[in-house]
Amino acid sequence: MEDEDDPVVEEIPVHLSKTLAENLYVLQYPVKSATATFDDGRVVNCCVKPINQQIKVDYALDTASRHYDAFKGEQFALAADGKQRDKTQKLTFRSGTMDKQSFLSAKPIEDVGRYLVCVMQDGEMHATPLKGIVAMRQMFSYFDKQDTRTKAEQKAERDADGTAEDEELTQVTVKFAENERMRKAREKSFNYLSEMEAEEPWCETFWHEKTTSTAELEKQKLFSGTGASGSGRLVTDNAALNVRSSEYMEMLISKEKTDRNIDSLLPSRVVCMHKLDHLPLEDQLKVILTDAKVITSQQIFDLLPNRTLPPEKVRRVLMKVGWLIRGNWVAQAEYVYPDGSVSGTNGVTAEQMRNARDYILYRFTKCDKLERTQLVTITQLPVEEIREILSSVAKLNTADRTWSMLLPSNEAFLCVEEQEMSERQAAYWKARAEFFNEMERKSVGSSTVGGGPTSKRVRKRSTRDS
């Protein structure tokens, strides 16, 4: 049915090319609009820093355009290079006017392992992994040069007028012994990284226009294969792809790395569906029951990764890890409160929390609604812990301040096997009834739980919210 609703329109072969994998970068211009691009721009200079992976590109400005302000351009050049230009100093604008704009790269994304550059030709897709993605932002270094030169000129004027202090303050730097830990911390600091970037010299590079033959030859490397075909692209080496689909996916995606990345994003005690598929059936059911709190049998079958399992096998394992309460499944207490754990609020031990949870589930097999104040009295646990247990299996009815199961009773829809399972579990609750009755007898102020007759001495009902 799904194939009929969503038919396959076309199958596109995908080929992986690694010829440019170590040298392919994507340059983004976030400050430019979609219409004002540099597709037809003329590059007058291009430099790179290979170690820090920085790129600087200078684009020429059309000074003859009617939109160009020649007076303002001369003012910018004069402010950057000054009136008296030093021959040893490299000029920002050699023509005496602002005739270019510079862009410097920044790394918006560190891990580019999930990104590819793809090209389509002759109904085939060729993908090349990226070495990096950089965002090109405009530089305004000429303003910095103007500020530096202005401060230097002001200082020279003060020295010439004799207004400088007779005694110049000398800065004293005190250095302490640096251990390995301090050295690593210093190397990760922003100042250290900035110094390393500034120390690396710029390397001049050649910029080839997109219409040149050199650029066309580089574009051909985006296609996989080694030989050229008649269509002008490289021939695909099909022998390298003669593997099964499952093996090919494992080659493309590292399962270990993927699981590690997903686990780092998930909260504690949360298992992703991909990892759930590799767990034994019993552990899968533990995870589903613990996370779902209250769930029907059909919902469990829908959540299992392997939906071809026989229902009888799933139900047999369910008997080991869950309780069937009013036709719905809940996790057994030992999986919710494992040995050695304590409650999050008052640090109640796992054994006490398990006994209280079992008692609450036992009461739900007898009646539809429970009152929290009575449960606090009988279990002798703090209010916060009782609320925690109730919230995991029940919901609060604001009308009468009682608690009922999260899902309505589903006993009418149980199959024959589930009805037999419910009867077998009823024997367990009957065996524990004496323990629960002893808890009720020891409690103070109540003789019957769940709406039955009360004794003459009745504890005053609390006015606090349940």
Side-chain angles (χ1 to χ4, degrees):
M1 181 62 68
E2 294 181 358
D3 294 340
E4 295 178 0
D5 296 339
D6 190 11
V8 176
V9 179
E10 183 181 0
E11 292 186 2
I12 301 175
V14 179
H15 307 285
L16 184 64
S17 174
K18 294 186 178 181
T19 308
L20 295 177
E22 296 299 323
N23 301 291
L24 186 60
Y25 289 81
V26 170
L27 275 62
Q28 299 177 334
Y29 293 84
V31 296
K32 302 295 290 184
S33 63
T35 55
T37 63
F38 289 113
D39 292 343
D40 299 325
R42 184 170 63 90
V43 176
V44 295
N45 188 32
C46 181
C47 305
V48 297
K49 288 186 177 182
I51 299 177
N52 292 289
Q53 295 185 358
Q54 282 188 316
I55 304 173
K56 184 174 68 173
V57 182
D58 295 338
Y59 288 93
L61 289 176
D62 185 8
T63 56
S65 173
R66 62 186 182 90
H67 302 291
Y68 181 81
D69 190 340
F71 175 76
K72 201 67 177 178
E74 293 176 358
Q75 291 295 319
F76 280 135
L78 185 63
D81 299 326
K83 297 180 180 179
Q84 298 178 355
R85 301 179 180 179
D86 188 358
K87 295 182 179 180
T88 60
Q89 182 183 1
K90 186 177 181 180
L91 300 179
T92 305
F93 305 107
R94 297 178 182 178
S95 62
T97 184
M98 183 178 175
D99 56 356
K100 65 179 180 179
Q101 53 180 340
S102 302
F103 288 83
L104 182 65
S105 66
K107 283 186 178 181
I109 301 175
E110 290 292 339
D111 184 12
V112 296
R114 298 179 297 173
Y115 297 91
L116 301 166
V117 169
C118 301
V119 290
M120 288 286 297
Q121 188 166 350
D122 298 338
E124 296 179 344
M125 179 181 292
H126 299 260
T128 303
L130 286 174
K131 179 66 174 178
I133 299 177
V134 295
M136 305 298 293
R137 301 184 182 276
Q138 191 168 357
M139 294 175 57
F140 301 96
S141 57
Y142 44 87
F143 288 128
D144 298 333
K145 294 180 66 175
Q146 178 185 2
D147 294 340
T148 303
R149 193 183 61 261
T150 302
K151 292 179 181 179
E153 292 176 354
Q154 292 176 354
K155 184 177 182 301
E157 290 178 0
R158 287 197 302 268
D159 294 342
D161 295 339
T163 57
E165 296 181 357
D166 295 336
E167 295 183 1
E168 184 178 356
L169 298 178
T170 304
Q171 183 178 1
V172 179
T173 303
V174 180
K175 292 186 177 181
F176 299 93
E178 186 180 46
N179 54 27
E180 186 68 16
R181 182 179 179 183
M182 295 174 61
R183 184 184 64 81
K184 290 182 178 180
R186 179 176 59 83
E187 290 178 354
K188 292 181 180 180
S189 64
F190 175 77
N191 292 334
Y192 180 82
L193 295 177
S194 300
E195 291 177 2
M196 294 299 294
E197 289 182 359
E199 289 177 1
E200 184 182 1
W202 287 104
C203 300
E204 298 282 345
T205 60
F206 292 100
W207 182 279
H208 300 279
E209 300 294 337
K210 62 180 181 180
T211 56
T212 60
S213 58
T214 304
E216 290 296 333
L217 288 175
E218 291 297 317
K219 290 179 184 178
Q220 292 299 319
K221 296 179 182 179
L222 294 174
F223 297 96
S224 62
T226 55
S229 66
S231 61
R233 63 174 178 82
L234 301 180
V235 177
T236 305
D237 186 8
N238 293 324
L241 299 178
N242 290 333
V243 294
R244 292 181 298 178
S245 57
S246 58
E247 296 176 355
Y248 183 64
M249 290 301 296
E250 290 180 359
M251 293 168 60
L252 290 177
I253 304 174
S254 174
K255 186 185 301 181
E256 180 181 356
K257 183 177 180 181
T258 303
D259 290 346
R260 184 171 62 252
N261 293 342
I262 294 176
D263 292 341
S264 63
L265 299 175
L266 293 176
S268 59
R269 299 181 63 183
V270 176
V271 180
C272 64
M273 293 298 294
H274 177 72
K275 194 172 183 179
L276 185 68
D277 190 16
H278 297 82
L279 295 177
L281 178 59
E282 183 173 340
D283 292 338
Q284 291 181 13
L285 294 175
K286 290 178 185 178
V287 172
I288 292 175
L289 292 179
T290 304
D291 292 347
K293 298 181 180 180
V294 181
I295 189 172
T296 64
S297 299
Q298 185 58 46
Q299 291 173 334
I300 293 175
F301 292 136
D302 294 339
L303 288 174
L304 285 174
N306 186 5
R307 300 186 182 181
T308 61
L309 291 173
E312 299 80 9
K313 180 179 179 181
V314 177
R315 294 190 183 99
R316 284 198 302 270
V317 181
L318 268 174
M319 281 283 293
K320 301 178 182 179
V321 298
W323 298 119
L324 193 58
I325 307 296
R326 292 186 170 273
N328 299 307
W329 288 96
V330 298
Q332 294 186 8
E334 53 263 35
Y335 305 120
V336 181
Y337 303 105
D339 293 334
S341 63
V342 294
S343 63
T345 305
N346 295 301
V348 178
T349 62
E351 183 180 1
Q352 292 175 297
M353 295 294 288
R354 288 198 292 260
N355 289 335
R357 178 182 170 88
D358 285 346
Y359 176 74
I360 291 174
L361 294 179
Y362 167 73
R363 293 304 308 167
F364 273 125
T365 63
K366 301 296 183 182
C367 53
D368 296 332
K369 298 180 179 180
L370 300 178
E371 292 188 8
R372 192 189 65 182
T373 53
Q374 292 179 342
L375 297 175
V376 170
T377 303
I378 295 172
T379 60
Q380 299 296 308
L381 291 186
V383 177
E384 293 80 4
E385 272 63 26
I386 294 299
R387 185 189 294 113
E388 176 185 333
I389 298 174
L390 285 172
S391 300
S392 65
V393 294
K395 59 183 178 181
L396 175 64
N397 303 310
T398 56
D400 54 2
R401 312 303 297 175
T402 59
W403 292 77
S404 58
M405 291 288 290
L406 286 173
L407 295 181
S409 177
N410 194 40
E411 293 176 303
F413 299 96
L414 295 180
C415 63
V416 177
E417 292 184 4
E418 290 175 334
Q419 291 176 0
E420 295 177 354
M421 294 165 61
S422 180
E423 293 174 358
R424 288 198 296 269
Q425 289 189 353
Y428 169 82
W429 296 118
K430 185 177 181 180
R432 296 211 63 185
E434 183 61 30
F435 174 76
F436 296 143
N437 292 335
E438 183 66 22
M439 290 174 56
E440 295 175 358
R441 284 193 293 268
K442 290 181 179 180
S443 62
V444 180
S446 65
S447 59
T448 305
V449 181
T454 59
S455 61
K456 293 182 179 180
R457 294 183 61 187
V458 180
R459 183 179 179 182
K460 185 177 180 180
R461 185 172 179 178
S462 174
T463 58
R464 292 182 298 177
D465 294 339
S466 297

